[in-house]
PDB file of all heavy atoms in Angstrom:
ATOM      1  N   SER A1340     107.816 -10.184  -3.493  1.00  0.00           N
ATOM      2  CA  SER A1340     107.345  -8.828  -3.733  1.00  0.00           C
ATOM      3  C   SER A1340     106.603  -8.739  -5.057  1.00  0.00           C
ATOM      4  O   SER A1340     106.877  -9.495  -5.992  1.00  0.00           O
ATOM      5  CB  SER A1340     108.510  -7.839  -3.762  1.00  0.00           C
ATOM      6  OG  SER A1340     109.183  -7.791  -2.515  1.00  0.00           O
ATOM      7  N   LEU A1341     105.679  -7.799  -5.118  1.00  0.00           N
ATOM      8  CA  LEU A1341     104.963  -7.464  -6.340  1.00  0.00           C
ATOM      9  C   LEU A1341     104.765  -5.958  -6.397  1.00  0.00           C
ATOM     10  O   LEU A1341     104.705  -5.289  -5.360  1.00  0.00           O
ATOM     11  CB  LEU A1341     103.596  -8.143  -6.403  1.00  0.00           C
ATOM     12  CG  LEU A1341     103.535  -9.640  -6.651  1.00  0.00           C
ATOM     13  CD1 LEU A1341     102.112 -10.140  -6.440  1.00  0.00           C
ATOM     14  CD2 LEU A1341     104.005  -9.975  -8.058  1.00  0.00           C
ATOM     15  N   ARG A1342     104.654  -5.448  -7.608  1.00  0.00           N
ATOM     16  CA  ARG A1342     104.303  -4.048  -7.806  1.00  0.00           C
ATOM     17  C   ARG A1342     103.057  -3.983  -8.680  1.00  0.00           C
ATOM     18  O   ARG A1342     103.103  -4.350  -9.853  1.00  0.00           O
ATOM     19  CB  ARG A1342     105.434  -3.266  -8.462  1.00  0.00           C
ATOM     20  CG  ARG A1342     105.189  -1.756  -8.543  1.00  0.00           C
ATOM     21  CD  ARG A1342     106.396  -1.045  -9.116  1.00  0.00           C
ATOM     22  NE  ARG A1342     106.306   0.400  -9.016  1.00  0.00           N
ATOM     23  CZ  ARG A1342     106.257   1.232 -10.062  1.00  0.00           C
ATOM     24  NH1 ARG A1342     106.284   0.756 -11.292  1.00  0.00           N
ATOM     25  NH2 ARG A1342     106.193   2.541  -9.862  1.00  0.00           N
ATOM     26  N   LEU A1343     101.971  -3.535  -8.085  1.00  0.00           N
ATOM     27  CA  LEU A1343     100.715  -3.398  -8.797  1.00  0.00           C
ATOM     28  C   LEU A1343     100.584  -1.995  -9.372  1.00  0.00           C
ATOM     29  O   LEU A1343     101.040  -1.024  -8.775  1.00  0.00           O
ATOM     30  CB  LEU A1343      99.531  -3.670  -7.871  1.00  0.00           C
ATOM     31  CG  LEU A1343      99.569  -4.957  -7.042  1.00  0.00           C
ATOM     32  CD1 LEU A1343      98.282  -5.094  -6.241  1.00  0.00           C
ATOM     33  CD2 LEU A1343      99.803  -6.171  -7.924  1.00  0.00           C
ATOM     34  N   SER A1344      99.935  -1.898 -10.520  1.00  0.00           N
ATOM     35  CA  SER A1344      99.679  -0.623 -11.157  1.00  0.00           C
ATOM     36  C   SER A1344      98.202  -0.507 -11.483  1.00  0.00           C
ATOM     37  O   SER A1344      97.531  -1.508 -11.736  1.00  0.00           O
ATOM     38  CB  SER A1344     100.484  -0.477 -12.454  1.00  0.00           C
ATOM     39  OG  SER A1344     101.871  -0.543 -12.217  1.00  0.00           O
ATOM     40  N   CYS A1345      97.706   0.713 -11.486  1.00  0.00           N
ATOM     41  CA  CYS A1345      96.338   0.994 -11.905  1.00  0.00           C
ATOM     42  C   CYS A1345      96.356   2.281 -12.704  1.00  0.00           C
ATOM     43  O   CYS A1345      96.656   3.346 -12.154  1.00  0.00           O
ATOM     44  CB  CYS A1345      95.406   1.116 -10.700  1.00  0.00           C
ATOM     45  SG  CYS A1345      93.731   1.650 -11.108  1.00  0.00           S
ATOM     46  N   ALA A1346      96.047   2.181 -13.975  1.00  0.00           N
ATOM     47  CA  ALA A1346      96.068   3.323 -14.874  1.00  0.00           C
ATOM     48  C   ALA A1346      94.649   3.738 -15.231  1.00  0.00           C
ATOM     49  O   ALA A1346      93.831   2.901 -15.627  1.00  0.00           O
ATOM     50  CB  ALA A1346      96.851   2.989 -16.139  1.00  0.00           C
ATOM     51  N   ALA A1347      94.365   5.023 -15.096  1.00  0.00           N
ATOM     52  CA  ALA A1347      93.068   5.574 -15.453  1.00  0.00           C
ATOM     53  C   ALA A1347      93.154   6.280 -16.803  1.00  0.00           C
ATOM     54  O   ALA A1347      94.157   6.918 -17.124  1.00  0.00           O
ATOM     55  CB  ALA A1347      92.594   6.561 -14.385  1.00  0.00           C
ATOM     56  N   SER A1348      92.093   6.163 -17.583  1.00  0.00           N
ATOM     57  CA  SER A1348      92.035   6.841 -18.871  1.00  0.00           C
ATOM     58  C   SER A1348      90.615   7.326 -19.117  1.00  0.00           C
ATOM     59  O   SER A1348      89.656   6.810 -18.541  1.00  0.00           O
ATOM     60  CB  SER A1348      92.494   5.920 -20.005  1.00  0.00           C
ATOM     61  OG  SER A1348      91.668   4.767 -20.090  1.00  0.00           O
ATOM     62  N   GLY A1349      90.479   8.305 -19.990  1.00  0.00           N
ATOM     63  CA  GLY A1349      89.184   8.865 -20.312  1.00  0.00           C
ATOM     64  C   GLY A1349      89.185  10.376 -20.200  1.00  0.00           C
ATOM     65  O   GLY A1349      90.239  11.013 -20.167  1.00  0.00           O
ATOM     66  N   SER A1350      87.997  10.954 -20.132  1.00  0.00           N
ATOM     67  CA  SER A1350      87.851  12.407 -20.083  1.00  0.00           C
ATOM     68  C   SER A1350      88.004  12.908 -18.648  1.00  0.00           C
ATOM     69  O   SER A1350      87.059  13.400 -18.027  1.00  0.00           O
ATOM     70  CB  SER A1350      86.514  12.824 -20.682  1.00  0.00           C
ATOM     71  OG  SER A1350      85.430  12.169 -20.026  1.00  0.00           O
ATOM     72  N   ILE A1351      89.208  12.815 -18.143  1.00  0.00           N
ATOM     73  CA  ILE A1351      89.512  13.087 -16.741  1.00  0.00           C
ATOM     74  C   ILE A1351      89.922  14.541 -16.552  1.00  0.00           C
ATOM     75  O   ILE A1351      90.774  15.051 -17.276  1.00  0.00           O
ATOM     76  CB  ILE A1351      90.628  12.157 -16.241  1.00  0.00           C
ATOM     77  CG1 ILE A1351      90.172  10.703 -16.293  1.00  0.00           C
ATOM     78  CG2 ILE A1351      91.057  12.547 -14.827  1.00  0.00           C
ATOM     79  CD1 ILE A1351      91.300   9.709 -16.132  1.00  0.00           C
ATOM     80  N   VAL A1352      89.326  15.169 -15.560  1.00  0.00           N
ATOM     81  CA  VAL A1352      89.752  16.497 -15.133  1.00  0.00           C
ATOM     82  C   VAL A1352      90.578  16.403 -13.862  1.00  0.00           C
ATOM     83  O   VAL A1352      91.696  16.926 -13.789  1.00  0.00           O
ATOM     84  CB  VAL A1352      88.553  17.431 -14.917  1.00  0.00           C
ATOM     85  CG1 VAL A1352      89.014  18.770 -14.340  1.00  0.00           C
ATOM     86  CG2 VAL A1352      87.810  17.653 -16.224  1.00  0.00           C
ATOM     87  N   THR A1353      90.046  15.726 -12.850  1.00  0.00           N
ATOM     88  CA  THR A1353      90.724  15.612 -11.567  1.00  0.00           C
ATOM     89  C   THR A1353      90.494  14.236 -10.981  1.00  0.00           C
ATOM     90  O   THR A1353      89.364  13.768 -10.928  1.00  0.00           O
ATOM     91  CB  THR A1353      90.224  16.671 -10.561  1.00  0.00           C
ATOM     92  OG1 THR A1353      90.343  17.977 -11.134  1.00  0.00           O
ATOM     93  CG2 THR A1353      91.016  16.610  -9.272  1.00  0.00           C
ATOM     94  N   ILE A1354      91.564  13.595 -10.542  1.00  0.00           N
ATOM     95  CA  ILE A1354      91.471  12.369  -9.766  1.00  0.00           C
ATOM     96  C   ILE A1354      91.765  12.719  -8.317  1.00  0.00           C
ATOM     97  O   ILE A1354      92.863  13.185  -8.006  1.00  0.00           O
ATOM     98  CB  ILE A1354      92.445  11.294 -10.256  1.00  0.00           C
ATOM     99  CG1 ILE A1354      92.219  10.996 -11.743  1.00  0.00           C
ATOM    100  CG2 ILE A1354      92.304  10.026  -9.425  1.00  0.00           C
ATOM    101  CD1 ILE A1354      93.192   9.993 -12.325  1.00  0.00           C
ATOM    102  N   TYR A1355      90.800  12.508  -7.463  1.00  0.00           N
ATOM    103  CA  TYR A1355      90.965  12.804  -6.045  1.00  0.00           C
ATOM    104  C   TYR A1355      91.700  11.642  -5.376  1.00  0.00           C
ATOM    105  O   TYR A1355      92.520  10.984  -6.020  1.00  0.00           O
ATOM    106  CB  TYR A1355      89.604  13.115  -5.431  1.00  0.00           C
ATOM    107  CG  TYR A1355      88.968  14.331  -6.082  1.00  0.00           C
ATOM    108  CD1 TYR A1355      88.074  14.200  -7.145  1.00  0.00           C
ATOM    109  CD2 TYR A1355      89.307  15.619  -5.672  1.00  0.00           C
ATOM    110  CE1 TYR A1355      87.523  15.315  -7.769  1.00  0.00           C
ATOM    111  CE2 TYR A1355      88.766  16.731  -6.291  1.00  0.00           C
ATOM    112  CZ  TYR A1355      87.875  16.575  -7.336  1.00  0.00           C
ATOM    113  OH  TYR A1355      87.342  17.688  -7.952  1.00  0.00           O
ATOM    114  N   THR A1356      91.455  11.407  -4.114  1.00  0.00           N
ATOM    115  CA  THR A1356      92.156  10.326  -3.429  1.00  0.00           C
ATOM    116  C   THR A1356      91.995   9.007  -4.174  1.00  0.00           C
ATOM    117  O   THR A1356      90.893   8.639  -4.578  1.00  0.00           O
ATOM    118  CB  THR A1356      91.642  10.180  -1.988  1.00  0.00           C
ATOM    119  OG1 THR A1356      91.952  11.370  -1.263  1.00  0.00           O
ATOM    120  CG2 THR A1356      92.278   8.988  -1.290  1.00  0.00           C
ATOM    121  N   MET A1357      93.108   8.306  -4.375  1.00  0.00           N
ATOM    122  CA  MET A1357      93.111   7.009  -5.032  1.00  0.00           C
ATOM    123  C   MET A1357      93.299   5.927  -3.976  1.00  0.00           C
ATOM    124  O   MET A1357      94.060   6.109  -3.022  1.00  0.00           O
ATOM    125  CB  MET A1357      94.212   6.940  -6.082  1.00  0.00           C
ATOM    126  CG  MET A1357      94.098   8.033  -7.129  1.00  0.00           C
ATOM    127  SD  MET A1357      95.301   7.902  -8.483  1.00  0.00           S
ATOM    128  CE  MET A1357      94.551   6.595  -9.471  1.00  0.00           C
ATOM    129  N   ASN A1358      92.607   4.830  -4.161  1.00  0.00           N
ATOM    130  CA  ASN A1358      92.531   3.782  -3.150  1.00  0.00           C
ATOM    131  C   ASN A1358      92.902   2.425  -3.736  1.00  0.00           C
ATOM    132  O   ASN A1358      92.605   2.132  -4.892  1.00  0.00           O
ATOM    133  CB  ASN A1358      91.111   3.666  -2.583  1.00  0.00           C
ATOM    134  CG  ASN A1358      90.545   4.992  -2.134  1.00  0.00           C
ATOM    135  OD1 ASN A1358      90.861   5.473  -1.038  1.00  0.00           O
ATOM    136  ND2 ASN A1358      89.704   5.596  -2.956  1.00  0.00           N
ATOM    137  N   TRP A1359      93.533   1.601  -2.907  1.00  0.00           N
ATOM    138  CA  TRP A1359      93.686   0.181  -3.184  1.00  0.00           C
ATOM    139  C   TRP A1359      92.882  -0.599  -2.151  1.00  0.00           C
ATOM    140  O   TRP A1359      93.003  -0.355  -0.947  1.00  0.00           O
ATOM    141  CB  TRP A1359      95.143  -0.266  -3.118  1.00  0.00           C
ATOM    142  CG  TRP A1359      95.943   0.069  -4.329  1.00  0.00           C
ATOM    143  CD1 TRP A1359      96.817   1.088  -4.479  1.00  0.00           C
ATOM    144  CD2 TRP A1359      95.957  -0.656  -5.566  1.00  0.00           C
ATOM    145  NE1 TRP A1359      97.378   1.063  -5.731  1.00  0.00           N
ATOM    146  CE2 TRP A1359      96.865  -0.005  -6.425  1.00  0.00           C
ATOM    147  CE3 TRP A1359      95.286  -1.790  -6.026  1.00  0.00           C
ATOM    148  CZ2 TRP A1359      97.124  -0.438  -7.718  1.00  0.00           C
ATOM    149  CZ3 TRP A1359      95.543  -2.224  -7.323  1.00  0.00           C
ATOM    150  CH2 TRP A1359      96.447  -1.556  -8.145  1.00  0.00           C
ATOM    151  N   TYR A1360      92.073  -1.512  -2.638  1.00  0.00           N
ATOM    152  CA  TYR A1360      91.336  -2.448  -1.811  1.00  0.00           C
ATOM    153  C   TYR A1360      91.782  -3.863  -2.137  1.00  0.00           C
ATOM    154  O   TYR A1360      92.338  -4.121  -3.205  1.00  0.00           O
ATOM    155  CB  TYR A1360      89.833  -2.364  -2.090  1.00  0.00           C
ATOM    156  CG  TYR A1360      89.130  -1.118  -1.596  1.00  0.00           C
ATOM    157  CD1 TYR A1360      89.239   0.083  -2.271  1.00  0.00           C
ATOM    158  CD2 TYR A1360      88.317  -1.168  -0.464  1.00  0.00           C
ATOM    159  CE1 TYR A1360      88.571   1.213  -1.835  1.00  0.00           C
ATOM    160  CE2 TYR A1360      87.642  -0.038  -0.024  1.00  0.00           C
ATOM    161  CZ  TYR A1360      87.773   1.147  -0.711  1.00  0.00           C
ATOM    162  OH  TYR A1360      87.107   2.266  -0.277  1.00  0.00           O
ATOM    163  N   HIS A1361      91.538  -4.777  -1.219  1.00  0.00           N
ATOM    164  CA  HIS A1361      91.631  -6.174  -1.582  1.00  0.00           C
ATOM    165  C   HIS A1361      90.429  -6.940  -1.052  1.00  0.00           C
ATOM    166  O   HIS A1361      89.750  -6.513  -0.127  1.00  0.00           O
ATOM    167  CB  HIS A1361      92.960  -6.817  -1.145  1.00  0.00           C
ATOM    168  CG  HIS A1361      93.166  -6.964   0.337  1.00  0.00           C
ATOM    169  ND1 HIS A1361      94.407  -7.335   0.843  1.00  0.00           N
ATOM    170  CD2 HIS A1361      92.366  -6.823   1.414  1.00  0.00           C
ATOM    171  CE1 HIS A1361      94.327  -7.406   2.162  1.00  0.00           C
ATOM    172  NE2 HIS A1361      93.096  -7.094   2.522  1.00  0.00           N
ATOM    173  N   GLN A1362      90.170  -8.058  -1.685  1.00  0.00           N
ATOM    174  CA  GLN A1362      89.065  -8.917  -1.298  1.00  0.00           C
ATOM    175  C   GLN A1362      89.537 -10.363  -1.349  1.00  0.00           C
ATOM    176  O   GLN A1362      89.783 -10.902  -2.428  1.00  0.00           O
ATOM    177  CB  GLN A1362      87.852  -8.718  -2.206  1.00  0.00           C
ATOM    178  CG  GLN A1362      86.619  -9.472  -1.745  1.00  0.00           C
ATOM    179  CD  GLN A1362      85.353  -9.021  -2.461  1.00  0.00           C
ATOM    180  OE1 GLN A1362      85.419  -8.437  -3.539  1.00  0.00           O
ATOM    181  NE2 GLN A1362      84.215  -9.294  -1.864  1.00  0.00           N
ATOM    182  N   ALA A1363      89.681 -10.955  -0.172  1.00  0.00           N
ATOM    183  CA  ALA A1363      90.099 -12.340  -0.061  1.00  0.00           C
ATOM    184  C   ALA A1363      88.895 -13.260  -0.237  1.00  0.00           C
ATOM    185  O   ALA A1363      87.744 -12.841  -0.047  1.00  0.00           O
ATOM    186  CB  ALA A1363      90.757 -12.577   1.290  1.00  0.00           C
ATOM    187  N   PRO A1364      89.137 -14.517  -0.580  1.00  0.00           N
ATOM    188  CA  PRO A1364      88.023 -15.452  -0.737  1.00  0.00           C
ATOM    189  C   PRO A1364      87.166 -15.522   0.515  1.00  0.00           C
ATOM    190  O   PRO A1364      87.674 -15.683   1.625  1.00  0.00           O
ATOM    191  CB  PRO A1364      88.717 -16.790  -1.003  1.00  0.00           C
ATOM    192  CG  PRO A1364      90.027 -16.411  -1.601  1.00  0.00           C
ATOM    193  CD  PRO A1364      90.432 -15.148  -0.908  1.00  0.00           C
ATOM    194  N   GLY A1365      85.866 -15.372   0.354  1.00  0.00           N
ATOM    195  CA  GLY A1365      84.943 -15.463   1.459  1.00  0.00           C
ATOM    196  C   GLY A1365      84.901 -14.265   2.382  1.00  0.00           C
ATOM    197  O   GLY A1365      84.226 -14.316   3.415  1.00  0.00           O
ATOM    198  N   LYS A1366      85.604 -13.182   2.045  1.00  0.00           N
ATOM    199  CA  LYS A1366      85.639 -12.006   2.895  1.00  0.00           C
ATOM    200  C   LYS A1366      85.157 -10.775   2.130  1.00  0.00           C
ATOM    201  O   LYS A1366      85.089 -10.769   0.898  1.00  0.00           O
ATOM    202  CB  LYS A1366      87.047 -11.757   3.430  1.00  0.00           C
ATOM    203  CG  LYS A1366      87.581 -12.862   4.322  1.00  0.00           C
ATOM    204  CD  LYS A1366      88.750 -12.385   5.155  1.00  0.00           C
ATOM    205  CE  LYS A1366      88.308 -11.341   6.162  1.00  0.00           C
ATOM    206  NZ  LYS A1366      89.415 -10.895   7.044  1.00  0.00           N
ATOM    207  N   GLN A1367      84.842  -9.739   2.889  1.00  0.00           N
ATOM    208  CA  GLN A1367      84.407  -8.492   2.275  1.00  0.00           C
ATOM    209  C   GLN A1367      85.595  -7.724   1.711  1.00  0.00           C
ATOM    210  O   GLN A1367      86.748  -7.932   2.109  1.00  0.00           O
ATOM    211  CB  GLN A1367      83.654  -7.632   3.292  1.00  0.00           C
ATOM    212  CG  GLN A1367      84.501  -7.131   4.442  1.00  0.00           C
ATOM    213  CD  GLN A1367      83.710  -6.340   5.467  1.00  0.00           C
ATOM    214  OE1 GLN A1367      82.474  -6.363   5.466  1.00  0.00           O
ATOM    215  NE2 GLN A1367      84.397  -5.633   6.338  1.00  0.00           N
ATOM    216  N   ARG A1368      85.298  -6.830   0.795  1.00  0.00           N
ATOM    217  CA  ARG A1368      86.331  -5.967   0.254  1.00  0.00           C
ATOM    218  C   ARG A1368      86.802  -4.985   1.328  1.00  0.00           C
ATOM    219  O   ARG A1368      85.997  -4.400   2.055  1.00  0.00           O
ATOM    220  CB  ARG A1368      85.787  -5.221  -0.963  1.00  0.00           C
ATOM    221  CG  ARG A1368      86.842  -4.527  -1.791  1.00  0.00           C
ATOM    222  CD  ARG A1368      86.268  -4.035  -3.119  1.00  0.00           C
ATOM    223  NE  ARG A1368      85.794  -5.130  -3.953  1.00  0.00           N
ATOM    224  CZ  ARG A1368      85.354  -4.979  -5.196  1.00  0.00           C
ATOM    225  NH1 ARG A1368      85.336  -3.787  -5.765  1.00  0.00           N
ATOM    226  NH2 ARG A1368      84.922  -6.039  -5.879  1.00  0.00           N
ATOM    227  N   GLU A1369      88.112  -4.791   1.430  1.00  0.00           N
ATOM    228  CA  GLU A1369      88.698  -4.022   2.507  1.00  0.00           C
ATOM    229  C   GLU A1369      89.717  -3.032   1.964  1.00  0.00           C
ATOM    230  O   GLU A1369      90.544  -3.377   1.113  1.00  0.00           O
ATOM    231  CB  GLU A1369      89.370  -4.962   3.510  1.00  0.00           C
ATOM    232  CG  GLU A1369      89.961  -4.291   4.729  1.00  0.00           C
ATOM    233  CD  GLU A1369      90.558  -5.290   5.700  1.00  0.00           C
ATOM    234  OE1 GLU A1369      91.015  -6.362   5.241  1.00  0.00           O
ATOM    235  OE2 GLU A1369      90.564  -5.005   6.910  1.00  0.00           O
ATOM    236  N   LEU A1370      89.682  -1.815   2.474  1.00  0.00           N
ATOM    237  CA  LEU A1370      90.658  -0.797   2.093  1.00  0.00           C
ATOM    238  C   LEU A1370      92.010  -1.131   2.700  1.00  0.00           C
ATOM    239  O   LEU A1370      92.112  -1.385   3.904  1.00  0.00           O
ATOM    240  CB  LEU A1370      90.190   0.575   2.571  1.00  0.00           C
ATOM    241  CG  LEU A1370      91.094   1.763   2.252  1.00  0.00           C
ATOM    242  CD1 LEU A1370      91.130   2.039   0.751  1.00  0.00           C
ATOM    243  CD2 LEU A1370      90.626   3.005   3.002  1.00  0.00           C
ATOM    244  N   VAL A1371      93.055  -1.117   1.890  1.00  0.00           N
ATOM    245  CA  VAL A1371      94.398  -1.386   2.388  1.00  0.00           C
ATOM    246  C   VAL A1371      95.303  -0.161   2.350  1.00  0.00           C
ATOM    247  O   VAL A1371      96.222  -0.054   3.165  1.00  0.00           O
ATOM    248  CB  VAL A1371      95.067  -2.560   1.642  1.00  0.00           C
ATOM    249  CG1 VAL A1371      94.272  -3.844   1.876  1.00  0.00           C
ATOM    250  CG2 VAL A1371      95.204  -2.285   0.152  1.00  0.00           C
ATOM    251  N   ALA A1372      95.079   0.761   1.419  1.00  0.00           N
ATOM    252  CA  ALA A1372      95.913   1.949   1.332  1.00  0.00           C
ATOM    253  C   ALA A1372      95.220   2.992   0.475  1.00  0.00           C
ATOM    254  O   ALA A1372      94.434   2.654  -0.412  1.00  0.00           O
ATOM    255  CB  ALA A1372      97.286   1.627   0.735  1.00  0.00           C
ATOM    256  N   ASN A1373      95.503   4.257   0.737  1.00  0.00           N
ATOM    257  CA  ASN A1373      95.069   5.302  -0.170  1.00  0.00           C
ATOM    258  C   ASN A1373      96.076   6.434  -0.173  1.00  0.00           C
ATOM    259  O   ASN A1373      96.980   6.491   0.664  1.00  0.00           O
ATOM    260  CB  ASN A1373      93.641   5.794   0.126  1.00  0.00           C
ATOM    261  CG  ASN A1373      93.462   6.402   1.500  1.00  0.00           C
ATOM    262  OD1 ASN A1373      94.408   6.893   2.121  1.00  0.00           O
ATOM    263  ND2 ASN A1373      92.225   6.378   1.985  1.00  0.00           N
ATOM    264  N   ILE A1374      95.915   7.337  -1.138  1.00  0.00           N
ATOM    265  CA  ILE A1374      96.850   8.435  -1.311  1.00  0.00           C
ATOM    266  C   ILE A1374      96.108   9.633  -1.872  1.00  0.00           C
ATOM    267  O   ILE A1374      95.316   9.521  -2.806  1.00  0.00           O
ATOM    268  CB  ILE A1374      98.034   8.004  -2.211  1.00  0.00           C
ATOM    269  CG1 ILE A1374      99.089   9.109  -2.302  1.00  0.00           C
ATOM    270  CG2 ILE A1374      97.555   7.573  -3.592  1.00  0.00           C
ATOM    271  CD1 ILE A1374     100.401   8.621  -2.905  1.00  0.00           C
ATOM    272  N   THR A1375      96.352  10.800  -1.288  1.00  0.00           N
ATOM    273  CA  THR A1375      95.669  12.012  -1.689  1.00  0.00           C
ATOM    274  C   THR A1375      96.313  12.608  -2.938  1.00  0.00           C
ATOM    275  O   THR A1375      97.359  12.165  -3.409  1.00  0.00           O
ATOM    276  CB  THR A1375      95.698  13.054  -0.569  1.00  0.00           C
ATOM    277  OG1 THR A1375      97.051  13.491  -0.365  1.00  0.00           O
ATOM    278  CG2 THR A1375      95.147  12.485   0.732  1.00  0.00           C
ATOM    279  N   ILE A1376      95.662  13.643  -3.474  1.00  0.00           N
ATOM    280  CA  ILE A1376      96.213  14.343  -4.632  1.00  0.00           C
ATOM    281  C   ILE A1376      97.633  14.822  -4.349  1.00  0.00           C
ATOM    282  O   ILE A1376      98.513  14.742  -5.214  1.00  0.00           O
ATOM    283  CB  ILE A1376      95.320  15.537  -5.027  1.00  0.00           C
ATOM    284  CG1 ILE A1376      93.963  15.059  -5.540  1.00  0.00           C
ATOM    285  CG2 ILE A1376      96.006  16.397  -6.083  1.00  0.00           C
ATOM    286  CD1 ILE A1376      92.986  16.194  -5.797  1.00  0.00           C
ATOM    287  N   GLY A1377      97.868  15.308  -3.139  1.00  0.00           N
ATOM    288  CA  GLY A1377      99.168  15.826  -2.767  1.00  0.00           C
ATOM    289  C   GLY A1377     100.184  14.781  -2.368  1.00  0.00           C
ATOM    290  O   GLY A1377     101.316  15.134  -2.014  1.00  0.00           O
ATOM    291  N   GLY A1378      99.807  13.505  -2.382  1.00  0.00           N
ATOM    292  CA  GLY A1378     100.746  12.441  -2.097  1.00  0.00           C
ATOM    293  C   GLY A1378     100.765  11.963  -0.660  1.00  0.00           C
ATOM    294  O   GLY A1378     101.684  11.226  -0.268  1.00  0.00           O
ATOM    295  N   ARG A1379      99.786  12.339   0.128  1.00  0.00           N
ATOM    296  CA  ARG A1379      99.702  11.876   1.511  1.00  0.00           C
ATOM    297  C   ARG A1379      99.131  10.469   1.534  1.00  0.00           C
ATOM    298  O   ARG A1379      98.030  10.238   1.050  1.00  0.00           O
ATOM    299  CB  ARG A1379      98.826  12.816   2.322  1.00  0.00           C
ATOM    300  CG  ARG A1379      98.782  12.534   3.814  1.00  0.00           C
ATOM    301  CD  ARG A1379     100.041  13.047   4.480  1.00  0.00           C
ATOM    302  NE  ARG A1379      99.863  13.262   5.905  1.00  0.00           N
ATOM    303  CZ  ARG A1379     100.004  12.323   6.836  1.00  0.00           C
ATOM    304  NH1 ARG A1379     100.301  11.078   6.477  1.00  0.00           N
ATOM    305  NH2 ARG A1379      99.840  12.625   8.109  1.00  0.00           N
ATOM    306  N   ALA A1380      99.865   9.527   2.112  1.00  0.00           N
ATOM    307  CA  ALA A1380      99.495   8.121   2.092  1.00  0.00           C
ATOM    308  C   ALA A1380      98.982   7.652   3.448  1.00  0.00           C
ATOM    309  O   ALA A1380      99.431   8.122   4.496  1.00  0.00           O
ATOM    310  CB  ALA A1380     100.692   7.267   1.681  1.00  0.00           C
TER     311      ALA A1380
END
């Protein structure tokens, strides 16, 4: 198991849907999960 984190910083007002992608060697970048402002995954 692993737990990945992604922290945003800067002059932020609103972060909309947040996404995790992965890109394997020799393959295109692919969406694996996302989550809305309200927490819908």
